[in-house]
Amino acid sequence: MTSTDTSREEAVTTRRSPMTPRSGGARPSGARVPVQSRGKPAQIPVAVYAEDLILQTGVVQQLRQRPEVELLSEGEAGRAEVSLLVVDALTEAVAEHLRRLRLATSGRIGLVVGHFEAGGLQTIVECGVAAVLRRSEADQDRLVHLITALANGEGVMPGDLLGELLDRIGILQRTMLDGRGLTLSTLTAREAEMLRLVAEGFDTSEIAAKTSYSERTVKNVLHEIITRLGLRNRAHAVGYAMRRGLI
């Protein structure tokens, strides 16, 4: 089969099923097939899905060159240890596809996305995504690092998303504990420090400068304290904390 025939066949397959895994294709006649031997790790079976042929081809071409990865065809996708979805943005259609993947595969799911808004973090967590990589950073080494981490049971997140995730987990843990009456008045070290500065008369910009956080972060932290403890304003929060010996 010529390269032109192969391209036509791939295009037809893509139109028939826009988000189907692509195989690595036939190996060049002179290429050596990697053989697992003692001391060498096995290849990681990977199924690649995408919204369109261009996105899919770009990722497949990068991964095809790596001996750590075994690219699976559509018919082999059921044995994938890692399913990789490549998209422009996290839309509802993409979220639905992630949910289907979560039900259809026993492997772990990674997302390579062009544009990601912070509000989408909850969606990807609910959809079972364990690793996220922005397309602007998706070079060959980072793609393989993401796949290897997933295969090892680890997660990968951009720094800003990881920070948001940890904050949400912290809020969730405190909320659950508060509901059980275990830590009704607990403050984190960061929260206590910011309330101390409020008590000393510093405004938002001054607190931001002293704690090396942005003004937005300071506002969010203080708002979270007030909301979580059911208080009215910053002054009420300071009085609450002082009465309980928290600051």
Side-chain angles (χ1 to χ4, degrees), residues 71-177:
L71 287 167
L72 302 177
S73 65
E74 180 179 356
E76 300 172 311
R79 66 181 183 86
E81 291 183 18
V82 173
S83 295
L84 200 59
L85 181 59
V86 189
V87 298
D88 281 320
L90 184 60
T91 62
E92 182 54 40
V94 170
E96 181 58 32
H97 187 65
L98 288 169
R99 294 185 189 102
R100 291 197 302 270
L101 273 179
R102 187 179 187 183
L103 295 174
T105 180
S106 60
R108 307 187 77 218
I109 302 172
L111 180 68
V112 180
V113 59
H115 175 66
F116 189 92
E117 296 182 354
L121 182 60
Q122 181 174 345
T123 299
I124 65 170
V125 171
E126 291 173 350
C127 292
V129 175
V132 177
L133 181 64
R134 289 192 170 91
R135 272 177 38 211
S136 59
E137 302 172 349
D139 59 23
Q140 190 179 108
D141 288 336
R142 286 190 176 97
L143 284 168
V144 172
H145 171 71
L146 179 143
I147 289 168
T148 304
L150 285 171
N152 290 334
E154 302 168 358
V156 177
M157 290 280 174
D160 57 328
L161 296 184
L162 180 59
E164 182 186 351
L165 179 61
L166 292 175
D167 283 344
R168 290 192 177 210
I169 291 173
I171 293 171
L172 178 61
Q173 289 175 331
R174 291 193 296 273
T175 300
M176 292 177 66
L177 289 172

Side-chain angles (χ1 to χ4, degrees), residues 186-216:
T186 297
L187 296 176
T188 66
R190 181 173 70 169
E191 290 171 339
E193 173 65 14
M194 291 186 182
L195 275 184
R196 275 195 293 269
L197 292 172
V198 171
E200 292 172 12
F202 293 103
D203 62 22
T204 299
S205 61
E206 292 170 326
I207 294 172
K210 286 181 174 293
T211 59
S212 299
Y213 289 105
S214 67
E215 291 187 31
R216 180 178 179 180

Side-chain angles (χ1 to χ4, degrees), residues 1-11:
M1 182 180 293
T2 66
S3 59
T4 302
D5 293 334
T6 301
S7 299
R8 289 174 179 168
E9 180 180 344
E10 289 179 344

